Amino acid sequence: MKDVMGVIYTGGSDARLRELTMTRAIAALPVAGRYRVIDFLMSSMVNSGMKKVGVIMQKNYHSLMDHLGSGKEWDLHGKNDGLYVLPPFLTRENVGVYSGALDALRSNSSFLSRSKQEWAILCRSDIIFTCDMDAFARHHVESGADITLMYTRNPDMKRDEYGSYLAVDADGTVTDIEVEPTHPNLDCTSMDVFIMKRELLRTLVDKGVAHGYHDFTRDVVMRLMNEHSLRVGSYEYTGPCWRIDSVQSYFRFNMDILDTDTRHLLFSDGNPIYTKVRDEMPARYGDHAQVSNSLVADGCIVEGTVENSVLSRGVRIAPDAHVKNCVIMQDGQVHSGAYIENCILDKQAVIKRNARLIGPEAYPIVIAKNVVI
């Protein structure tokens, strides 16, 4: 795996996440108490033995840069290779928002050309999963395919007018691809993870940009597959996965992770998930605190009632406050007498005394960062 490099493209459609992505990329969204969305992908790469990872960023990338830092939490801060943070390359034509993965890769072509690894794994950052990238790479080499796509048969990953879907034959060869269909007709949902030779990726990027293309799957992979210019293989991922592309999907993931069996599948002993360390005191519970089926991160002070909720670092729940089915991000506060249910509180959000917020489970209430209710 030392001969395999990772390239993570953090662009993505974030309009349906509303206030949650006003100041951050999807990859930087806090999840499961103390993690970010990108932690799971980064940890999968590191656990598989990869030593070089490039993260291509665009708008609202400051939070993600602060989280990744030098990459020391993922052991990617050595003298050779390591973590490469690639902010947008600003020109008159490019104002910090890429039109697609092809534009992003073209702007960072020097990163690809300077790298020495033979193989490259290209992936998006809006899907939470843990995968043995070593097994993925071995499968690709043994299959003899030019490009291998990772896919899942999980029906919860399907979206109308969003995502890519594959038709796979008995040999594992991709025979058809649908991109953003009105209603997906194919059973295999692409995980937006590709592996190919690094030089082939450079060639495809140059040719695609020269023809005015933007989308890597639709404009490059699909065209070359239909022209029989490339053999496109597939690799089935059978573990749990979640696509974070809306407020509802974000809320659902955090609620799903409260289930012990689901949590053990994602956080397995052999594949630890690394994240930025923030030194805090352990969570403190008051004499009358009542907490059930919840994830409570370090630094929290809980003196009220918490049910089926996820509390990030530094959250404070005052006496007589009641929190049910909620996700509260870092340093959020719920004051005495307040009752909130089916809510998402962004960082430093404050719910004042005796406030009452009850949202429908299918469409939780979102309180933006630093807002006081």
Side-chain angles (χ1 to χ4, degrees), residues 84-321:
Y84 288 77
V85 174
L86 307 170
F89 185 75
L90 299 180
T91 64
R92 289 185 178 181
E93 294 78 20
N94 176 32
V95 293
V97 181
Y98 298 117
S99 300
L102 279 179
D103 297 312
L105 290 166
R106 180 66 181 87
S107 294
N108 294 281
S109 58
S110 60
F111 170 71
L112 293 176
S113 62
R114 290 197 309 267
S115 300
K116 297 180 174 60
Q117 286 77 10
E118 182 179 2
W119 308 93
I121 293 180
L122 171 66
C123 42
R124 294 272 293 274
S125 61
D126 57 352
I127 297 178
I128 293 178
F129 70 105
T130 56
C131 173
D132 185 355
M133 296 292 184
D134 187 24
F136 178 46
R138 288 200 308 270
H139 172 85
H140 169 70
V141 175
E142 293 168 0
S143 69
D146 297 304
I147 301 176
T148 298
L149 280 68
M150 188 183 295
Y151 72 90
T152 178
R153 297 184 184 272
N154 185 347
D156 293 335
M157 291 286 286
K158 290 187 175 183
R159 302 285 193 275
D160 291 344
E161 301 180 353
Y162 190 82
S164 303
Y165 305 89
L166 316 176
V168 180
D169 65 14
D171 298 328
T173 301
V174 177
T175 58
D176 190 19
I177 300 178
E178 291 182 345
V179 179
E180 298 179 356
T182 303
H183 300 290
N185 298 306
L186 304 177
D187 292 333
C188 304
T189 303
S190 173
M191 301 276 290
D192 294 321
V193 180
F194 308 79
I195 184 171
M196 69 203 81
K197 288 195 172 183
R198 179 178 57 85
E199 287 299 323
L200 175 60
L201 177 60
R202 288 184 61 199
T203 301
L204 295 179
V205 169
D206 289 340
K207 288 184 177 180
V209 173
H211 286 84
Y213 300 151
H214 302 287
D215 188 273
F216 187 76
T217 303
R218 176 193 287 120
D219 297 332
V220 175
V221 177
M222 185 189 299
R223 287 174 186 268
L224 295 176
M225 184 191 69
N226 292 334
E227 295 170 0
H228 304 287
S229 300
L230 288 177
R231 185 189 166 203
V232 181
S234 63
Y235 176 84
E236 183 176 4
Y237 171 76
T238 56
C241 51
W242 296 262
R243 187 190 296 276
I244 308 300
D245 62 344
S246 65
V247 170
Q248 292 88 339
S249 63
Y250 173 79
F251 185 72
R252 189 181 309 117
F253 168 75
N254 283 281
M255 293 298 104
D256 287 347
I257 212 67
L258 294 175
D259 178 72
T260 303
D261 294 335
T262 303
R263 193 164 60 251
H264 286 171
L265 285 174
L266 191 61
F267 296 88
S268 60
D269 293 336
N271 295 290
I273 307 300
Y274 305 101
T275 189
K276 180 182 178 181
V277 175
R278 175 180 164 181
D279 294 326
E280 290 271 10
M281 296 292 288
R284 190 178 79 195
Y285 300 91
D287 294 337
H288 302 288
Q290 298 182 20
V291 181
S292 61
N293 193 39
S294 298
L295 289 178
V296 180
D298 48 330
C300 290
I301 299 176
V302 180
E303 298 178 284
T305 301
V306 179
E307 302 177 56
N308 303 321
S309 297
V310 177
L311 308 186
S312 295
R313 295 161 169 161
V315 170
R316 297 194 170 199
I317 308 299
D320 298 324

